[in-house]
Structure formats: C-alpha cells, structure tokens
Amino acid sequence: MPAKKEVCNAEGVDAAVHKVADGIISEFLDCPTREFAIIGIHQQGVPLAKRLISIIESKTGYSPELALLDISMYRDDIGVRQNLPQINETLIPFDVNDKVVILVDDVLSSGRTIRAALDALTDYGRPGLIRLAVLVNRGNHEFPIGADYTGMTLAVPVERKVAVEFVESDGQDRVCIIDWKKRSSQEDN
Amino acid sequence: MSTKKEFILSGGKVVDPFTGIEKIMDIGVKDGKIADPKKLKNAEKIDVSGKVVAPGFIDLHVHLREPGNTAAETIKTGTKAAAAGGFTTIVAMPNTNPAADTAAAIEYLSFHAAQDGVVKVYPCGCMTKGLKGEEMAPIGSLKSARVAALSDDGRGIQNHELMKHIIEYAKSMDLPVLDHCEDNNLKGDGVMHEGVWSTLLGMKGIPSASEELMVARNIIFARDVDWKVHLQHLSSKESVEQVRIARKRGIPVSAEVTPHHISLIDECIKKFDTNYKMNPPLRSEDDRKALIAGLADGTITVIATDHAPHTPTAKMVEFDYAPFGIIGLETAVSVCLHELYHSGVLSISDFVAKFTSGPAEVLGLTNRGFTVGNDADITIIDTEQEVTIDADKFQSKSRNTPFNGMTFKGKAAATIVDGKFVFNEL
Amino acid sequence: MGKFNWTKKDLLSIYDLSAEEISFILDTAEEFKKVSQRNVKKVPALRGKTVVNFFVEPSTRTRMSFELAEQRLSADIINISASSSSLKKGETLLDTIRNIEALQADLIVMRHSAAGAHAMLADKISCGILNAGDGAHSHPTQALLDMFTIREKKGSIKGLKVAIVGDILHSRVARSDAWGLLKLGAEVRLAGPSTLVPREFEAMGVKVYHNLKEAVEGADVVNLLRIQHERQQAGFFPSTGEYAKFFGLNEETEKYLKPDALIMHPGPINRGIELASSLADGPRSVILEQVTNGLAVRMAILFLVAGCVKK
C-alpha cells in the first residue's frame, strides 16, 4: 500500500465527532444534567476538544469549560524514543478536585498516553469522575484502558499508524493510515 | 632494508644546500660514507626517481625524556620516531630528570644513544645547574663531554647578568647557546596565547611580550658579546621583526620555528583539546603568517620540532592542568611541505636548507652534504605521496599530536644514517 | 511552537547552541515553571534516573537549584564535592567520572574551576554531562535563566539593549550571557574598568564600555556582576570603594536608567558596591525572579538531555 492512505473523509470525520458529542450529551445533559469540563490532550486532542464544546453548545446551550493537558513530562518512554516531543501548554483554569472531567484525544491505541494523562491530571487534584472520549479507537491496547465515547473503530495492523487530520491544524479533516516503512517526506494518496 | 655496504641512490633529485646542487643525479654510498657512484663496482642500485634526495635532516630541538620520564619516550623510541620522520641527527634537550648539567649525565646519554639510538644524538648541556637559572653549569666539563650546544630549554634564564656571563663563557668554549625566550612574570600561569581567544574562552593568557622581551635581551647580548645566540621556537610576529633587523645589522643571532607554529593558531584551542597546548603557545593568524614570512625571507633559518612526548594519561586532563608540549618528529616533514613547499612559499632548495644547512650553521657543523668522504647521512623525501596521519602507528611512545587523522601531501620516504637505512618506505 | 528535536546528550556551553535550540529550551522551561507553581510540585519525568551532582568547585545556590530541579523531576540524586571525592587522592578527573559512570549514572551535573573540563569529558563518556560552570569560560544554565527572565518581562529578546557591568574578564556568566543574547538578536554591552573589560571582547560582536553612564543609557536590561576582593588584591582596580563610585548602580547613577529597564544580578549581591540595596529591592529588580526561573530552566534542560537517546 502507498505510504499514506485516506480511510475516512471529511464527512466521515464530522459524523464521528457528532457521534462522540451525542454520547456525552446523552450521559450528562439529558435528565439529570451534570456539569463537566473537557480536557484536550495535546496535540490533536485539542482541536477535537474545541469542536466537541462547540457542537455541545450549539445543541444544548451548555458550554463546558476547556482545559489543555500536555503529558510529555509523564511519558514512560523518555530517553528511549528517537525524538523528544515538544512540550505544549498545559492550562487547567479550574480546580480539579471533585470535578467531573472528560479527557479527549484523537486516537486511542496502546493506552499509554491516557495512562500518562491520568497521572498528570491526578497531580493537579482529585477529580470526582473521569471519562474518556476518542475520535478513533484502533485496538492494539497495551494497557487495560478503554474509551467511554468512540467516534469510530478501525482495525489496523500494529505496524501501521493512524493519523487524524483536522482543518484547524492540517488544512483538512480526514483519517489516514500510514505505513511507517514507506514513509517519505512527500505525502501521497 | 639494504644491508649492503655499497649502494647507489639512482635517479633522484639531489638537493644539497651545502654545495648548492639541485639536479637529478646519482649518489653513491660505501662503508658509511658518500662515494663517487662511478667508482662503485658491486653497488646495488636503488631507484629513487621522483624523490628528493637531501643531506640528513637535523632537528635542533628534541626531548627524549630519558632519563626521568621513559613512560613518555625513550632514547630508542624517540630516535626511531626521528628516523621515521626523516631525521638523521637530533639534538637532545637537557631538561631530563636528572638534568643534563654534568659530564656524567652527558656521558650517560651518549652511552645509551650509542647503544639504543638509531639516529645520531647530539647532547645539549644545561646553561645553569639543575636548570634553576641561578648558577652557571660546569660548561667546560660539558664541553669536554662533547655537548653540541647549551640550553636551559623548558625555561628561560631570567637573570640578565647571568645570561650575559653564560654567553661570554660559551663563546670561550666555542659552544652555541640556544635560548627558550620567556619572561616568567609575564607568562605567569598562562596556558594559551593572550589575545582575542583567551579573552573569549576565559583562560589565562601568555602575552607575546613574554617572548619579545627576551628576544630583545638575547639580541643585545649577541651583539655585545659578539657570539651566536640561537632563539628557540619563535612564536610572535614582533620576535621575527626583531631578528630580521638584528640580522641585517650583522648581529650573530639565529632563530628556529616549529611546524605547529606555522600551521596552527590559538583559535584551535576552543575545543579544549590539550594537543594544542604547548609553550610557547599557538598565537594568532597574524603571528603565524609572520613566521612563514620569516622563513621565506631567510630571517628564520631553522625548522625544529620541539618534540615533547607526554603520556596520554598526563595529557588527558583539564586544559589548565595539562603539561605543555606535543610530539612532532613524525609529522614535521609532511606539515612543512604543506605549509611551505606545496603552497609555493619556499623552493625545494630553501625548504631543505631549513632542515640541513640552517641547523648545521647554528651548531657549527662542517662536512655535511654530498661531498665524497662525508658521512652518508641522507634523507629521502617523497613530495607527492598522500599520507593520512595515524598516531597509533607512530614509532614514538607518545600520541600527543594535533595532526592525527589529517591528510598531507608528502612525507619522508627513507632515512640513511652512516650508510645504513634506519627507515625505509621506498 | 513548531516541531523540534533535541539531540544533544550534554549541555556544555551556550556557544554550541543555535538560536532555535535556545528558544526551544526557554519554551520548554515555561511549562516547567508551572509545575513549581501548582500544589504537587513534582512530575515523574526523570523517575528512575540517577543524577550525580559533582561540584569540584563548590557552590551553594547553583547546587541547591539543580538539586531541587532534579527532585521535582523525581530523579535519584547523589552529591559529590571535590573534598569528598578521590580527586584529593590524585585520581584524574576522567577516572573519577568513569567511576561515576560505572555506577550507571544517567546524568552528571558538574561545576569545575578549570575551563574546558566538561568539553574534555563529554565525548569520552556515554552519560550526559551538564555544565554548572567551568572556570571563567561558561555557565550556560545561568545564561538560559537570564534570557528566560528577560524574555518573560520584555516579550522578546531581539533588538533589546542589554548591558552587563562588572568583572567581565573573570566572569563565565558574562560570557555565556553575551553569547546567548547575541544569538537571539540583542545588542550586548560589556562595561567595567578597562583592566577588567579588555577591547578583545569586541571580537564577539559586543560593544565595550569603560563608562557606566554610556553603558546603561538607553539599556533595556542592566545585569550587574559581583565584584570580588581578590581582583583588588591582584591589582585590577584600586579599591571596591572606587569601583562602587565609578561602576556601581546606586541612587547617584540610577538617573541614567530607563524607567522600564530591568535590573538583574546572578547573586550573591555585594550590596552597596555593584548595586545599591534600594535598587536591588526596588521595582525594576527581577533578581528574585531569576532564582525562580533558574529552577524552571534547569528542570527543562535536565528533561531535555535526559530524554536524548544515548548512542
């Protein structure tokens, strides 16, 4: 297969985002309503988190608080990978103690990112409830972590990577599968 | 290696500054002496076409470290290094441990050099007892023990009056004086040239004035006493200028420069590699260019290596604490061919002179060169062959060279001492 | 913030870093500053890693800052000083460091009085080495925290006029600050008595001043360096009193400063000599923030060099 292959187009992405938003709304905003905050995990959890907030607000009038979380300092692979990721901004403008929060990331794969996010979040306080929302659940779980709201499920072999692109950061909405071995600096469809 | 007692070096370009010859011709060797090739019946013909055949190169400035620091070098390994570098004769500096300030010490060196040395070793005696710069060494006894010259190298004599007496006394003994020009107060605990780079790097500097002041002192005494004073390892532009003016006035002063001072500068130290640490230090590009100009116009008549072995353990320490000095016997010819011959600064004749007639004049040696009957001390050079310096293959026990891994065009191809090949890569 | 790969296992000097690398460290430090401001002042980033603090040249403040940074990153720490090490018994520095490396240390933070000590070691050992100061040559973490402080207060460093005043000749802080600021596009002025600020420094691309007024007029930042009594004894200037009069920033000379100029000092301050108390404690001073920022910057740099894959 070519180095990068699109498996879901903009409409598919939009449908998946709505599916996640609907899942959240039905748990928290149909009776009884409970307040909650949305925490986007850097990097692609952030545009997704913002979109979910926008959809939830337009559908229900409720606008959850937004927080941004970078988990670089909590990774379990420091000193082992080839590159060290950039540390992005962590911004949690509320008291985490007793808070109901929904962690948001674009892809759930091994589960290690979420493990790190849980450790990071609990260093800020003791949340009342944590849920996990992902756009794509691709299996290959290495940790016993599952998503509560899933946009789409993709069965992808372990040697391929799933990449989600958003208009806000990449110019278009789509989900692609990338073959690591064939990756080059040129994109191809 | 040829063990024949008779051979002819045939087809090489003979460059002999002693006789002024520069042409392709044969050189005959018989029983350790230069012979007329036409008269040699059983001679083996050795083809040296394409090579330069010169009188044996002389290095006026070598530290053999025996006795006292044989971990770094011995007479055997040091002379092997000399042979590999194309030198047939070396002058051994007296800052051994114990210092070569008595006839006994000189005889020790001569004895072991005769036993273990593969090239000719001329001992140099101390100017002062123990190199302390306080009392004159027994120069008369040293002369009887057949030193070739006097020096306190490693140190400069600070007391001017004492220095004047030493030069006067040396004159009466017909001994050349080789001085390490350095003012101790100005040198202080400096570790590199005092200039832009010492300022940028935050290191203590050794100002050029330290050398220049003593150069001036030595020129004055050479003039007043009318005896030859040879200035060792010049490093500064102003030193060269002083020597130039002095020589024009007919003052009997001569000067030498090392291969590293004409090829490297103080900026090299920004990596803190102690293979760039020596005394006098590498100075600025202006100084380097002035040293080369001094060689070009004949102000500087000698190239000498100041071969200073140190064990890797000794050198592999913080820059401030590392001992001064680098080896140079096995890289001298390659580095100098690069800087002086291939760059067009010196003709091959003038190049060879810096290693032959220049040093011979300082020491007052006669009977050098390719006149029949002279000792067959011969240096054969390949000016074109590329060589990449590999310090691990050196004959020297030490490895402290800044040139490791560098590629040069030209090298010593063979070295003959008293008619015997002591190094042969023909 | 763009993507960036950190590939250096050591931090030897600011001179070796590119402007991009410096900016990356400062960006990373911003996030680490927040860790010290929240309740749980710790992250597990260096958990299980062993860091050895080897202060051959003694220090209190820098060592404390490094130790705290290492603890907040959850590292295991060992402290060695020269007097308690085998350097006293004549072991070479290289052998001492190799012994430390054999204990599986991941990082060595070293301060040494000989310039170039870290450079000598870096390519001979596989663990990372962080320069906490080497002779008068380099003090990269100080320069980084100084630049972080300036950037935080002024927004950006490019185009700023920064004056560093004092014994520049013997100062590793001055050299590292100057290199870093120049790389980020500042105009750097080095000022002090002519015996302590030779013109050779201009080869770096800075301007040398032997007059305080000219040096600080129009400056956005004035960084004062500690003047040491040993220099007086060595004949560099006649007395600290004379130094204070001609180069001290005090109520007299304050009038040359811009109202929004920052006053910085690496500490410890000789109050009344290079800097008057009123200015050290006044509104322009960011001296205490430098200390806070030092912690963040050191956490960032420890994180980055520990994260670099060992070859």
Side-chain angles (χ1 to χ4, degrees):
Chain A
M1 81 167 241
K4 188 170 179 176
K5 179 176 151 192
E6 179 181 308
V7 296
C8 177
N9 61 10
E11 274 123 30
V13 169
D14 195 50
V17 177
H18 272 87
K19 184 169 168 212
V20 172
D22 289 340
I24 295 172
I25 289 170
S26 98
E27 176 169 355
F28 288 97
L29 298 172
D30 295 344
C31 297
T33 58
R34 281 189 290 169
E35 298 205 323
F36 59 91
I38 287 199
I39 305 185
I41 299 175
H42 278 289
Q43 286 177 286
Q44 298 282 62
V46 170
L48 179 58
K50 290 178 179 169
R51 280 209 203 174
L52 287 170
I53 289 176
S54 163
I55 294 173
I56 292 170
E57 190 184 10
S58 70
K59 283 194 173 177
T60 69
Y62 172 66
S63 183
E65 286 174 284
L66 171 67
L68 310 175
L69 182 64
D70 182 286
I71 52 103
S72 305
M73 300 176 197
Y74 291 84
R75 302 183 67 94
D76 62 4
D77 59 0
I78 293 173
V80 175
R81 278 166 52 121
Q82 277 303 314
N83 343 302
L84 207 65
Q86 183 101 15
I87 302 185
N88 296 292
E89 188 189 10
T90 292
L91 184 63
I92 305 184
F94 47 76
D95 183 2
V96 166
N97 291 304
D98 300 322
K99 196 86 174 173
V100 174
V101 297
I102 303 181
L103 285 174
V104 173
D105 205 3
D106 56 343
V107 179
L108 173 62
S109 182
S110 64
R112 291 175 190 274
T113 301
I114 306 303
R115 194 278 316 157
L118 292 172
D119 281 349
L121 189 56
T122 50
D123 269 355
Y124 284 90
R126 189 178 187 276
L129 180 75
I130 303 180
R131 292 276 188 252
L132 174 63
V134 299
L135 187 69
V136 178
N137 186 343
R138 62 163 283 180
N140 303 121
H141 297 316
E142 289 169 17
F143 277 22
I145 289 178
D148 300 293
Y149 320 104
T150 303
M152 69 179 87
T153 306
L154 288 178
V156 177
V158 79
E159 62 272 11
R160 309 224 199 280
K161 177 183 156 90
V162 172
V164 173
E165 293 177 13
F166 289 112
V167 162
E168 299 90 312
S169 40
D170 312 290
Q172 57 182 320
D173 283 353
R174 62 179 183 164
V175 180
C176 298
I177 294 184
I178 296 176
D179 185 340
W180 279 114
K181 289 183 229 97
K182 283 188 194 164
R183 231 158 65 108
S184 65
S185 56
Q186 301 294 312
E187 285 187 0
D188 62 359
N189 282 331
Chain B
M1 294 212 179
S2 174
T3 50
K4 289 234 165 172
K5 295 199 132 182
E6 290 180 25
F7 59 87
I8 296 175
L9 298 170
S10 121
K13 180 174 187 180
V14 173
V15 179
D16 182 0
F18 296 99
T19 56
I21 292 172
E22 186 183 330
K23 70 175 194 216
I24 296 184
M25 58 185 269
D26 292 354
I27 296 288
V29 172
K30 181 178 171 171
D31 295 333
K33 303 279 183 202
I34 303 291
D36 182 350
K38 297 192 215 44
K39 297 198 178 140
L40 297 177
K41 304 293 187 304
N42 305 321
E44 177 194 348
K45 259 199 171 183
I46 300 173
D47 179 19
V48 291
S49 48
K51 314 271 192 289
V52 167
V53 177
F57 279 13
I58 303 167
D59 189 341
L60 281 189
H61 199 143
V62 176
H63 295 273
L64 288 178
R65 304 294 190 217
E66 188 176 342
N69 189 5
T70 49
E73 194 82 278
T74 61
I75 292 170
K76 185 170 190 174
T77 58
T79 53
K80 276 181 151 176
F87 294 93
T88 61
T89 305
I90 58 177
V91 176
M93 288 295 114
N95 60 337
T96 44
N97 184 14
D101 61 355
T102 60
I106 300 297
E107 276 158 26
Y108 175 96
L109 177 68
S110 300
F111 176 78
H112 283 283
Q115 287 231 307
D116 304 328
V118 303
V119 304
K120 291 175 176 168
V121 177
Y122 291 175
C124 181
C126 298
M127 288 198 264
T128 64
K129 288 184 185 157
L131 299 165
K132 290 202 180 125
E134 288 164 9
E135 285 177 65
M136 212 190 284
I139 291 174
S141 302
L142 295 172
K143 169 81 180 181
S144 304
R146 293 212 285 267
V147 296
L150 298 169
S151 178
D152 260 14
D153 183 58
R155 310 201 191 147
I157 292 182
Q158 303 300 299
N159 182 334
H160 302 316
E161 191 184 19
L162 175 62
M163 185 64 174
K164 185 172 186 201
H165 288 320
I166 287 171
I167 298 173
E168 285 168 342
Y169 200 74
K171 177 178 183 183
S172 70
M173 292 288 162
D174 193 26
L175 278 175
V177 168
L178 319 176
D179 194 38
H180 168 108
C181 307
E182 176 172 273
D183 180 292
N184 289 348
N185 284 323
L186 287 174
K187 173 180 178 263
D189 44 11
V191 298
M192 64 178 284
H193 171 57
E194 186 183 88
V196 166
W197 278 99
S198 66
T199 306
L200 261 44
L201 294 174
M203 313 268 273
K204 292 226 174 70
I206 302 173
S208 298
S210 160
E211 176 181 288
E212 292 154 11
L213 279 170
M214 291 312 200
V215 165
R217 184 269 307 267
N218 289 335
I219 289 173
I220 287 168
F221 289 148
R223 178 198 71 202
D224 285 352
V225 177
D226 192 25
W227 183 241
K228 31 188 202 171
V229 176
H230 176 78
L231 308 171
Q232 295 179 304
H233 46 47
L234 287 192
S235 65
S236 131
K237 183 169 131 179
E238 286 309 312
S239 299
V240 177
E241 184 58 19
Q242 288 189 63
V243 174
R244 182 176 284 124
I245 293 170
R247 285 172 71 88
K248 278 209 181 87
R249 293 172 52 191
I251 296 173
V253 66
S254 61
E256 78 192 26
V257 72
T258 67
H260 47 271
H261 282 103
I262 58 169
S263 60
L264 303 169
I265 55 173
D266 58 351
E267 187 178 345
C268 298
I269 290 171
K270 67 184 178 193
K271 295 273 154 91
F272 298 102
D273 182 346
T274 56
N275 286 323
Y276 294 96
K277 181 176 182 182
M278 75 289 294
N279 191 20
L282 300 172
R283 299 201 190 270
S284 70
E285 178 65 8
D286 273 354
D287 294 304
R288 187 185 81 89
K289 290 207 174 92
L291 294 169
I292 293 180
L295 284 165
D297 74 359
T299 299
I300 302 175
T301 53
V302 174
I303 294 175
T305 62
D306 195 1
H307 177 88
H310 288 292
T311 58
T313 311
K315 276 295 224 184
M316 197 84 79
V317 295
E318 300 86 312
F319 197 91
D320 281 349
Y321 308 155
F324 291 99
I326 59 170
I327 50 177
L329 285 168
E330 294 172 85
T331 48
V333 166
S334 300
V335 171
C336 291
L337 281 170
H338 176 81
E339 292 295 340
L340 302 169
Y341 173 65
H342 290 300
S343 62
V345 169
L346 294 179
S347 66
I348 193 65
S349 224
D350 288 340
F351 176 87
V352 169
K354 305 296 180 194
F355 291 96
T356 54
S357 53
E361 191 192 338
V362 171
L363 297 176
L365 302 176
T366 52
N367 300 328
R368 313 289 298 194
F370 292 127
T371 307
V372 169
N374 282 349
D375 291 346
D377 292 340
I378 305 171
T379 298
I380 302 173
I381 301 211
D382 185 333
T383 57
E384 302 307 310
Q385 194 193 350
E386 283 220 338
V387 59
T388 301
I389 307 294
D390 181 359
D392 285 331
K393 299 221 171 78
F394 279 175
Q395 294 297 316
S396 168
K397 247 178 154 176
S398 290
R399 300 283 173 264
N400 50 325
T401 174
F403 300 113
N404 196 25
M406 291 171 69
T407 302
F408 295 94
K409 198 162 90 148
K411 61 188 277 297
T415 311
I416 298 167
V417 174
D418 286 336
K420 183 173 145 207
F421 277 84
V422 294
F423 171 69
N424 190 349
E425 280 184 4
L426 284 172
Chain C
M1 291 189 282
K3 276 201 167 293
F4 195 89
N5 282 345
W6 181 268
T7 53
K8 295 183 150 85
K9 78 162 175 76
D10 313 296
L11 177 66
L12 300 177
S13 87
I14 293 282
Y15 185 76
D16 303 326
L17 298 177
S18 67
E20 291 74 33
E21 282 169 327
I22 294 175
S23 295
F24 182 65
I25 297 170
L26 300 184
D27 292 340
T28 307
E30 271 178 27
E31 287 305 306
F32 278 101
K33 187 167 179 175
K34 292 180 191 169
V35 170
S36 294
Q37 288 162 339
R38 53 179 215 199
N39 227 357
V40 175
K41 296 179 181 44
K42 217 166 155 110
V43 294
L46 258 58
R47 192 171 57 92
K49 299 258 191 279
T50 302
V51 180
V52 176
N53 294 319
F54 187 22
F55 279 70
V56 183
E57 183 188 284
S59 154
T60 330
R61 313 151 77 85
T62 304
R63 212 191 72 184
M64 210 163 61
S65 182
F66 264 108
E67 261 187 72
L68 203 47
E70 291 149 15
Q71 287 189 0
R72 292 200 176 158
L73 292 169
S74 306
D76 296 327
I77 305 171
I78 300 183
N79 290 313
I80 314 178
S81 67
S83 52
S84 61
S85 80
S86 42
L87 287 176
K88 250 180 114 186
K89 296 188 193 156
E91 189 178 44
T92 64
L93 182 65
L94 185 55
D95 274 340
T96 305
I97 296 291
R98 284 208 173 114
N99 276 302
I100 294 174
E101 191 187 24
L103 296 170
Q104 311 303 321
D106 295 285
L107 275 181
I108 299 176
V109 174
M110 185 172 86
R111 171 173 281 194
H112 198 299
S113 52
H118 306 74
M120 190 259 297
L121 297 168
D123 59 358
K124 299 179 183 68
I125 53 174
S126 62
C127 57
I129 189 149
L130 270 176
N131 190 347
D134 64 330
H137 172 237
S138 184
H139 195 354
T141 56
Q142 180 71 39
L144 288 166
L145 76 90
D146 285 346
M147 287 189 278
F148 183 94
T149 307
I150 296 173
R151 197 175 84 156
E152 197 182 48
K153 292 288 175 192
K154 295 286 184 183
S156 110
I157 289 180
K158 192 166 173 159
L160 289 185
K161 298 182 173 52
V162 180
I164 307 175
V165 184
D167 179 1
I168 310 288
L169 185 62
H170 300 98
S171 171
R172 52 185 169 225
V173 173
R175 285 179 176 85
S176 289
D177 270 358
W179 284 126
L181 290 165
L182 287 168
K183 280 178 201 265
L184 293 188
E187 177 196 304
V188 178
R189 306 171 175 180
L190 300 179
S194 55
T195 45
L196 293 174
V197 194
R199 292 248 164 241
E200 275 83 353
F201 276 110
E202 287 180 340
M204 283 171 97
V206 306
K207 284 203 210 119
V208 164
Y209 293 80
H210 298 137
N211 175 299
L212 181 71
K213 174 171 181 280
E214 285 165 17
V216 307
E217 256 176 352
D220 301 294
V221 179
V222 179
N223 191 0
L224 288 327
L225 301 177
R226 200 173 124 74
I227 200 75
Q228 292 178 286
H229 286 279
E230 300 92 87
R231 309 298 172 216
Q232 173 187 331
Q233 277 146 15
F236 284 98
F237 55 83
S239 70
T240 48
E242 183 148 315
Y243 179 86
K245 183 165 172 207
F246 288 93
F247 291 98
L249 201 61
N250 46 45
E251 287 88 359
E252 257 293 299
T253 51
E254 187 188 353
K255 57 180 185 275
Y256 307 140
L257 289 181
K258 273 166 61 166
D260 63 346
L262 298 178
I263 293 179
M264 298 174 63
H265 193 303
I269 307 171
N270 280 325
R271 286 170 181 269
I273 301 184
E274 65 264 7
L275 183 61
S277 278
S278 60
L279 291 168
D281 305 326
R284 292 190 188 88
S285 164
V286 292
I287 293 173
L288 290 175
E289 290 174 66
Q290 284 175 270
V291 177
T292 308
N293 295 334
L295 193 46
V297 158
R298 289 180 174 119
M299 285 176 80
I301 198 69
L302 284 161
F303 177 74
L304 291 172
V305 303
C308 175
V309 175
K310 311 285 175 282
K311 300 233 182 316

